[in-house]
Each structure stands twice: as structure tokens, then as C-alpha cells.
Amino acid sequence: MNLQTNLGIAIKEFRNNLGLSQEKFALSIEMDRTYLASVEAGKRNLSLANIEKIARGLNTNVSELFAKAESYNWYKAKGSIRYEWFYHGYYFQPL
């Protein structure tokens, strides 16, 4: 997959780790919930300003957010797309 999709997955994972709903998180960073949902679905090409706003809201920085996004490995398995990420020697499937 592409970086845009991976970034959406990383954002969702960071948000879930903080225990925030899309609605609560979107309100906290002054962003529309439907826009955030499309970002997490990988359907938006984000501006740098919005990436920075999201990273700050997730209590992280832009480089950490991109590092997480780039850690996802996508591959085809018997006609379907499956993904996992590699962390400290182990493979995990995101939530």
C-alpha cells in the first residue's frame, strides 16, 4: 500500500492507544470528525499543517508518526491484502 494509507492506520493506532474516540480527538484538535475518519481510512492527502496538528494532538511528533507509518509491511496473500507491522523483532496486526 502507500504512505497515505499507512499514515491513516498509524494515526488510528496512536488515537486508540490514547483511548480517544474519533469524535473526541477531532474536537480536541479542532478538526471535523468526518475529515479525520477519511484521513484514518487513507482517503485524504494531508497538508503538513494538518499532519503537525494531528501529531501534537496524539502527544507525538511528525517524525514518530511517519516512522510508525513506514513500519507497516503490506503484501498480497492468496488474492487478499493483509498487513502487519514489525516491532522489536515481532510481527503484529494493528487494531
Side-chain angles (χ1 to χ4, degrees), residues 57-76:
L58 295 170
N59 301 322
T60 190
N61 56 50
V62 172
S63 59
E64 227 178 286
L65 197 55
F66 275 106
K68 172 64 84 176
E70 290 178 342
S71 73
Y72 292 104
N73 297 314
W74 293 86
Y75 59 92
K76 286 197 169 210

Side-chain angles (χ1 to χ4, degrees), residues 6-8 16 25-26 35 48 51 58 61 83 90:
N6 290 357
L7 185 60
N16 284 336
F25 180 62
Y35 180 81
L48 292 174
I51 294 170
L58 295 170
N61 56 50
Y83 61 91
Y90 297 96

Side-chain angles (χ1 to χ4, degrees), residues 1-53:
M1 285 293 164
N2 61 34
L3 182 59
Q4 185 173 310
T5 303
N6 290 357
L7 185 60
I9 293 168
I11 290 167
K12 182 176 182 177
E13 187 174 328
F14 270 99
R15 180 181 57 75
N16 284 336
N17 287 342
L18 292 174
L20 296 171
S21 68
Q22 272 185 349
E23 188 171 4
K24 272 189 167 184
F25 180 62
L27 284 171
S28 74
I29 61 170
E30 298 179 353
M31 187 176 282
D32 186 76
R33 187 205 57 80
T34 58
Y35 180 81
L36 179 62
S38 63
V39 166
E40 289 184 355
K43 296 179 181 176
R44 292 282 180 166
N45 192 8
L46 291 163
S47 70
L48 292 174
N50 280 339
I51 294 170
E52 185 177 33
K53 181 190 283 191

